[in-house]
Amino acid sequence: MSAEPQFTVRSELSREMTQRKAPRQRVVQRFGNPFWLVFAASLWMASVANLPLWRALTQVLTAGPNAWAFEGGMLLIIAASLAGLLSLLAWRWTLKPALIALLLVAACGAYFMMTYHVVIDASMMVNALQTDAREVRDLLSGKLLAFLLVLGVAPSIVIWRWPVAYGHWMRRLWQNLALALAAVLVAGLAVFASFSPLASTMHNHHDVRYLINPLNSLYAVGALAAKPLQRNNSSVVPAGLDAHLAAAVPSARPPLLMLVLGETGRSGNFGLNGYARDTTPELARQGVATFRDAWSCGTSTAASVPCMFSGMGRVGFEARKHNAEGLLDVIQHAGMAVLWLDNQSGCKGTCDRVPSVNTSNLQHPALCPGGECYDGIMLEGLDQRIAALPAERRAKGVVLVLHQLGSHGPAYHLRSPQAYKRFMPECASNDLQNCSRAELVNAYDNSVAYTDHFLASAVDWLKTQQTAWDPAMVYVADHGESLGENNLYLHGMPYLIAPDVQKHVPWITWLSAGFEHRSAINTTCLRNDANVRVSHDNYFHSVLGLLGIRSKVYQPQLDAYAHCANLPGAVAQAAAGPQTTLLRNEPFAAPGLAVAQTAAVKALTLQQR
């Protein structure tokens, strides 16, 4: 072959490749500046990924031109804010990864806010970060996959394939700064133009600010990252080092106190508390006492559990400048044995310094089907577990903490064995909006029915221990749950705007005759005080009071059982009538409680000195 034909072939191939590259080059010339990528992604997230926000605004605004103008202003504010943030990352190695990550975060946020009507704040972000594999499995659904594909994966593919010309780094720096300045200016003008309706909406509808996606997630992560700057987490301040047991009454045996930490318990769905359905028949036969007006420290496990075990109260715990030892540490300082059994996703730091056992992954043909265990597994082998505790501590008494899986949602149907599904048909899906209200409540009530059986079984086991111990049980749930009221589901709403059903929790007490004798606390008196308002603020001091532990950190005015101790008898108390003056907490803290909380925090601080 001659050289001329070869040259001709190469020329034709080069011309064909040039023609193929021409459209891409034109795209790069026209839209290759990172500005366009930032603009497109910001507009996509501000509009499509904020469907929960637009849904909420249509419910609180009167339809018409003013509402449309306000929503347009909100769209502009969100898009400009995102563009301003992303402009700082508009570099060759950071822009596309940051955009893809933010798109996936926005897709997940949109799904959960749209499906369960939750909002995203720092506490909800803590819940997300502490979610274990079992909880993730309960949340997986085809709808979640669809949201991720449409809102996250599809635009991420477009972004990854988008040709971008970054240019020289100095030019890129000035363009990024210019874009950030322009975005701030646009957002500021939009805020100024819509200030009156914006301020009114944010003031009257606090939940709206937590729906702005994905800025809500970014703000929540930032708030969590700033925590170490606000609080010293490098050490744990000792508390209750002076703790000791009060002198026991003659013939008293060592106490065996079982603290059952309930999960997702709605006080109003317990038959003992006046619910129309008899969800707690077994407990009713055990002669327990209940506080019907009990309130939680938070609306999530991560918030409530450390708070209720802290002794600082809700207000003091949120304002603390350092972490301190809690209830279980004080009990150990008093010389007693402590054991934490967990059928949940962990103790949130509460059991870090005490012996603990995780039962959620044990193997049991009846109690652990499908890779997770019903709460009854925690009662298996308790005698052997107690016998393994140090003998010198057992001689002074034993405290068992049983952390339930309880009524953890959204897969409520998985929380009860078939034998305890009394209310049918039940919702058998984690996409709660696809179930009727009746089916959803049935599934939840079935989980309460199993909790009733579990607690009654715990009492039955405690009764078998009365030859060696003076047993008692206290059951308190960590937080409540929304079951579709006002289109809200699950829990974790910011405390100040959370509905009562997420904060109103059950508090149930069973005392054996021996424990009544040693503590001088009368169950009849407790039943008469069923309507006294109590809260998690009372929990720390009430448990210490039950055990007869004395310390500077013990505040008797916050002991929910103190009123019923040292009485001449049940008849005298019955004649006196129910107590109504116990210091109480949320949803509105009484002035006297604030004083008591301050005293508790000061007492903890004194331990440090």
Side-chain angles (χ1 to χ4, degrees):
M1 182 179 290
S2 64
E4 183 176 349
Q6 292 178 359
F7 177 77
T8 302
V9 171
R10 285 198 296 269
S11 298
E12 291 176 353
L13 289 174
S14 177
R15 187 165 47 253
E16 183 179 350
M17 292 178 66
T18 301
Q19 290 174 350
R20 290 179 179 177
K21 291 181 179 179
R24 180 178 177 87
Q25 290 174 346
R26 287 195 294 270
V27 170
V28 172
Q29 290 174 356
R30 182 172 299 179
F31 300 108
N33 192 297
F35 163 79
W36 294 108
L37 190 57
V38 169
F39 173 77
S42 299
L43 190 60
W44 173 264
M45 287 185 282
S47 57
V48 181
N50 269 285
L51 290 176
L53 173 64
W54 310 131
R55 179 184 62 185
L57 288 178
T58 58
Q59 295 172 351
V60 302
L61 299 176
T62 303
N66 291 336
W68 301 333
F70 174 69
E71 290 172 348
M74 283 289 292
L75 175 65
L76 193 58
I77 292 169
I78 298 169
S81 300
L82 287 169
L85 291 172
L86 290 169
S87 65
L88 303 177
L89 299 172
W91 300 91
R92 183 182 305 275
W93 304 110
T94 57
L95 180 58
K96 289 187 177 182
L99 285 174
I100 291 172
L102 204 54
L103 281 167
L104 295 175
V105 168
C108 288
Y111 167 75
F112 286 105
M113 291 189 291
M114 199 75 180
T115 303
Y116 299 115
H117 293 251
V118 299
V119 298
I120 297 176
D121 67 340
S123 63
M124 186 63 75
M125 189 59 63
V126 170
N127 295 337
L129 295 174
Q130 294 184 353
T131 299
D132 61 14
R134 177 177 56 188
E135 292 171 320
V136 170
R137 185 178 66 245
D138 288 347
L139 293 169
L140 294 178
S141 68
K143 187 176 179 181
L144 172 59
L145 179 62
F147 265 77
L148 286 173
L149 289 175
V150 174
L151 296 184
V153 176
S156 294
I157 294 174
V158 173
I159 284 173
W160 192 254
R161 295 174 61 86
W162 191 304
V164 180
Y166 292 94
H168 190 270
W169 72 268
M170 183 61 73
R171 183 183 179 188
R172 177 81 272 120
L173 175 62
W174 286 111
Q175 288 187 352
N176 288 355
L177 292 175
L179 176 56
L181 182 61
V184 171
L185 182 62
V186 170
L189 290 174
V191 169
F192 180 79
S194 58
F195 183 78
S196 180
L198 178 65
S200 175
T201 302
M202 294 301 172
H203 176 75
N204 296 322
H205 306 282
H206 297 284
D207 57 320
V208 169
R209 70 187 68 179
Y210 300 110
L211 294 172
I212 301 175
N213 191 27
L215 293 174
N216 50 3
S217 296
L218 295 177
Y219 180 83
V221 171
L224 292 177
K227 287 291 185 183
L229 302 177
Q230 304 166 7
R231 180 181 307 131
N232 180 13
N233 292 322
S234 61
S235 61
V236 177
V237 177
L241 294 177
D242 62 333
H244 60 280
L245 292 169
V249 297
S251 74
R253 291 172 289 269
L256 173 59
L257 177 60
M258 180 181 289
L259 302 176
V260 181
L261 180 55
E263 168 64 35
T264 315
R266 286 169 53 114
S267 178
N269 288 63
F270 277 61
L272 289 170
N273 294 333
Y275 188 38
R277 282 178 167 174
D278 189 9
T279 53
T280 54
E282 294 188 51
L283 279 174
R285 291 193 291 269
Q286 296 286 4
V288 299
T290 178
F291 288 126
R292 295 172 181 161
D293 199 11
W295 297 84
S296 69
C297 199
T299 61
S300 67
T301 303
S304 283
V305 173
C307 176
M308 64 191 289
F309 279 81
S310 72
M312 299 180 186
R314 190 178 71 85
V315 175
F317 185 77
E318 291 181 353
R320 72 194 188 281
K321 298 300 182 182
H322 56 260
N323 290 323
E325 291 182 340
L327 174 62
L328 303 184
D329 298 290
V330 177
I331 294 172
Q332 285 197 142
H333 292 329
M336 299 179 68
V338 178
L339 177 63
W340 181 290
L341 293 96
D342 207 295
N343 200 39
Q344 249 274 13
S345 58
C347 66
K348 315 307 178 188
T350 305
C351 65
D352 285 354
R353 293 166 298 278
V354 302
S356 61
V357 176
N358 190 300
T359 64
S360 61
N361 297 316
L362 297 181
Q363 302 296 318
H364 192 287
L367 293 173
C368 301
E372 70 177 34
C373 296
Y374 296 120
D375 289 326
I377 192 67
M378 290 188 286
L379 300 179
E380 296 292 306
L382 273 183
D383 296 272
Q384 292 81 359
R385 297 190 191 280
I386 291 176
L389 297 172
E392 66 277 9
R393 289 187 172 274
R394 282 188 284 121
K396 293 185 177 181
V398 173
V399 174
L400 302 173
V401 186
L402 277 59
H403 188 192
Q404 277 190 285
L405 184 57
S407 301
H408 195 285
Y412 305 115
H413 64 288
L414 298 179
R415 307 297 170 244
S416 57
Q418 192 62 41
Y420 298 93
K421 296 186 181 297
R422 304 171 190 163
F423 310 105
M424 300 296 286
E426 69 171 0
C427 176
S429 169
N430 57 11
D431 190 356
L432 304 182
Q433 287 184 314
N434 285 338
C435 297
S436 69
R437 164 74 176 167
E439 291 171 336
L440 178 57
V441 173
N442 284 347
Y444 182 85
D445 285 351
N446 286 333
S447 72
V448 176
Y450 180 66
T451 289
D452 171 61
H453 171 72
F454 167 68
L455 294 176
S457 299
V459 171
D460 285 337
W461 177 82
L462 287 170
K463 288 178 178 178
T464 66
Q465 307 298 309
Q466 293 184 93
T467 56
W469 311 90
D470 287 334
M473 183 199 74
V474 176
Y475 163 81
V476 183
D478 56 355
H479 55 77
E481 187 86 332
S482 287
L483 296 177
E485 299 90 352
N486 300 314
N487 287 321
L488 290 177
Y489 298 88
L490 304 181
H491 54 268
M493 291 284 287
Y495 199 89
L496 293 179
I497 63 173
D500 283 354
V501 290
Q502 292 190 22
K503 299 181 287 189
H504 191 195
V505 296
W507 184 322
I508 298 168
T509 307
W510 174 81
L511 307 178
S512 67
F515 200 96
E516 284 192 356
H517 175 67
R518 69 172 291 115
S519 64
I521 296 174
N522 188 274
T523 301
T524 302
C525 170
L526 294 178
R527 294 196 191 104
N528 286 338
D529 281 352
N531 294 319
V532 168
R533 192 166 191 144
V534 297
S535 78
H536 282 172
D537 287 6
N538 303 107
Y539 186 75
F540 175 96
H541 307 281
S542 301
V543 172
L544 292 183
L546 276 176
L547 293 170
I549 293 177
R550 299 296 177 256
S551 168
K552 292 178 181 178
V553 298
Y554 170 64
Q555 301 290 319
Q557 66 269 36
L558 290 175
D559 184 347
Y561 301 109
H563 173 69
C564 291
N566 301 317
L567 295 178
V571 176
Q573 172 58 26
Q579 171 75 357
T580 59
T581 58
L582 181 68
L583 289 176
R584 60 187 187 274
N585 190 18
E586 291 301 328
F588 305 106
L593 179 59
V595 174
Q597 288 175 336
T598 302
V601 174
K602 286 181 178 179
L604 287 169
T605 305
L606 286 173
Q607 298 297 319
Q608 183 181 21
R609 297 176 182 174

